[in-house]
Amino acid sequence: MRLRSTPVKVASVAAALVLAAGACGNANSAGGNDSEIKIGAWYPLSGAVSASGVPQRAGADAYFKMINDKGGINGRKVTWIVKDNAFDPQQTVQIARELIGQDKVVAIVAANGTSQAEAAFPFVLQQSKVPILNELGGLDSWYNPPRAGLFGTQTLYEDQAAALGAWVTQDGRKNVVVVHSDPAAFVTVAKAAQSVATRTDPSANVSLLPVKFQSTDYSPVVSQVKAKSPDAIVLILASPEAAAFMKEAKLQGLAAPTYSYAPVAAQSTLTLAGPAAEGARAVQFVKSPNDTDPSVQEFRDAMARYEPGQPADFIALWGWTGAKVFSQIAQTIQGPVTAESLTKAYEQAKNIDPGVGPVMSFGADKHIGTRDVRKVVVKDGKWVSEGDFFTPPAR
């Protein structure tokens, strides 16, 4: 890819743009050799959200290690460079500059974070023209309208929330409290659950209760919820916070069932909440890691071999799925693997079947591969699938 410089009046700004342009050119050609595809990612490997970042990284890493041991992608080994952003947007921007400017990655693949990725969009997508593929997280505004170079494999959180809103009302719940973290991204998801629930059953009372992000003391929160006498609770929280809510609810005798989106359907929730998680309901966008399906068994075997210290749970399976879909699409490229060729390959990708998740299709005007989810419930201390994948109602 050849970049044209843009005249500017301030010399320092001009120099910065020249450096960024050089990073872009190197990034676009970095994966174009016959022996290597160099890609990168950012993850919260430290801090409160590391309970999601660490296992997701492990799942993707296990897949890339497995595929490399089998010869790579069309003979090219995958070099996947992962850096810790501690779930911080500004650190993510700095990491993006390092991955593109220093490490010369051809794409950001299977990374983690909604606000974190958004902070990096201007530099990565717009300035450097490097694609961001299969990011964990995302909002409807990312894909409607589609953004150049941005493609997703995860069912949007709003669609997960829509499935929860329909589920609680279909179960006959009439007084529902949606407990959600207070950042804007969580609020949007919570409102999607509320909207679909009240549209599905206009007689249902669905209220929202915001909670400060990364709260550790859920005693006052549960007290507020209990005062509303709900017959169902929807949790739009990170896994550790959802577990804290479940434990406190059990202590206070709040027996209303919980319905949660995919980040809560994790081994970390079961570990932290213990018996308080029994009966919890959630939606997921991958199959249960306990399934006997051969594709899930392949995942468990690879985790045991390449990441023996990490449980083969849902969140690890998210990372595995993102890495696998990338590899399946990259394999269709004839010739150099560049930022441009990857973007074109995603635009043409149809019926991509990762086995462990729903079949996905993309297009020039469709940058999200699927809207499907499936129900899971905690039974005897394990997340168990109920039914097959289904498409949530429109939001």
Side-chain angles (χ1 to χ4, degrees):
M1 177 179 176
R2 213 173 157 185
L3 297 180
R4 293 175 292 180
S5 61
T6 302
V8 293
K9 294 181 181 180
V10 184
S12 61
V13 175
L17 288 174
V18 169
L19 289 173
C24 173
N26 288 335
N28 282 337
S29 61
N33 61 64
D34 293 332
S35 61
E36 181 185 37
I37 301 173
K38 188 180 290 187
I39 55 179
W42 45 72
Y43 279 91
L45 302 179
S46 61
V49 193
S50 61
S52 292
V54 170
Q56 189 199 343
R57 181 216 60 82
D61 201 39
Y63 185 83
F64 286 132
K65 287 175 179 176
M66 182 190 75
I67 204 72
N68 279 342
D69 281 351
K70 293 181 178 180
I73 298 174
N74 293 337
R76 296 181 177 95
K77 294 297 180 73
V78 177
T79 299
W80 190 50
I81 303 170
V82 177
K83 301 192 179 187
D84 180 15
N85 68 358
F87 210 60
D88 179 75
Q90 291 309 310
Q91 288 190 51
T92 304
V93 173
Q94 180 58 37
I95 287 170
R97 293 183 178 277
E98 293 172 1
L99 289 171
I100 293 171
Q102 298 174 22
D103 299 311
K104 314 300 183 188
V105 301
V106 72
I108 304 298
V109 178
N112 176 298
T114 299
S115 61
Q116 294 72 32
E118 281 198 331
F121 282 174
F123 176 74
V124 179
L125 297 176
Q126 299 164 23
Q127 193 170 331
S128 302
K129 310 299 183 187
V130 169
I132 297 177
L133 309 171
N134 311 349
E135 179 89 8
L136 182 73
L139 298 169
D140 183 72
S141 60
W142 285 19
Y143 304 105
N144 293 302
R147 300 190 188 201
L150 179 64
F151 295 85
T153 53
Q154 176 201 310
T155 300
L156 292 174
Y157 289 137
E158 295 100 327
D159 285 324
Q160 296 177 33
L164 294 174
W167 191 357
V168 292
T169 50
Q170 288 164 0
D171 281 355
R173 312 300 178 183
K174 294 292 186 179
N175 186 22
V176 182
V177 179
V178 182
V179 181
H180 63 89
S181 293
D182 58 1
F186 291 86
V187 175
T188 300
V189 177
K191 287 183 176 178
Q194 180 187 45
S195 174
V196 172
T198 54
R199 191 174 70 242
T200 304
D201 182 0
S203 68
N205 175 44
V206 183
S207 59
L208 303 181
L209 180 62
V211 181
K212 185 174 176 57
F213 183 53
Q214 295 185 358
S215 293
T216 55
D217 182 8
Y218 268 81
S219 176
V221 176
V222 171
S223 294
Q224 291 180 63
V225 174
K226 189 175 181 181
K228 295 177 179 288
S229 301
D231 57 7
I233 301 158
V234 174
L235 299 179
I236 308 298
L237 303 169
S239 169
E241 296 172 62
F245 181 95
M246 292 175 186
K247 289 183 71 174
E248 184 61 34
K250 188 176 180 64
L251 286 173
Q252 294 193 27
L254 177 58
T258 59
Y259 298 73
S260 309
Y261 71 159
V264 176
Q267 180 60 41
S268 57
T269 303
L270 303 183
T271 301
L272 293 170
E278 191 68 20
R281 299 156 173 81
V283 293
Q284 261 293 350
F285 49 87
V286 291
K287 294 180 179 178
S288 168
N290 301 313
D291 281 4
T292 58
D293 185 286
S295 62
V296 180
Q297 184 62 55
E298 179 186 50
F299 159 71
R300 289 195 295 263
D301 291 345
M303 288 295 293
R305 178 176 180 181
Y306 299 110
E307 298 287 340
Q310 182 63 48
D313 69 355
F314 274 117
I315 298 182
L317 193 50
W318 296 350
W320 173 275
T321 304
K324 187 171 185 178
V325 171
F326 167 80
S327 300
Q328 289 174 311
I329 295 175
Q331 195 169 21
T332 67
I333 297 174
Q334 302 297 317
V337 178
T338 66
E340 290 180 325
S341 65
L342 279 168
T343 297
K344 290 178 181 177
Y346 266 78
E347 289 178 345
Q348 298 169 2
K350 307 295 181 195
N351 300 317
I352 304 300
D353 186 1
V356 295
V359 175
M360 303 185 191
S361 292
F362 302 85
D365 59 351
K366 183 178 182 291
H367 285 197
I368 186 74
T370 182
R371 293 186 62 234
D372 290 356
V373 294
R374 71 188 308 170
K375 297 176 180 179
V376 293
V377 179
V378 178
K379 296 181 178 179
D380 298 325
K382 293 182 179 180
W383 290 105
V384 178
S385 296
E386 286 196 349
D388 207 341
F389 289 104
F390 65 94
T391 302
R395 289 180 271 113

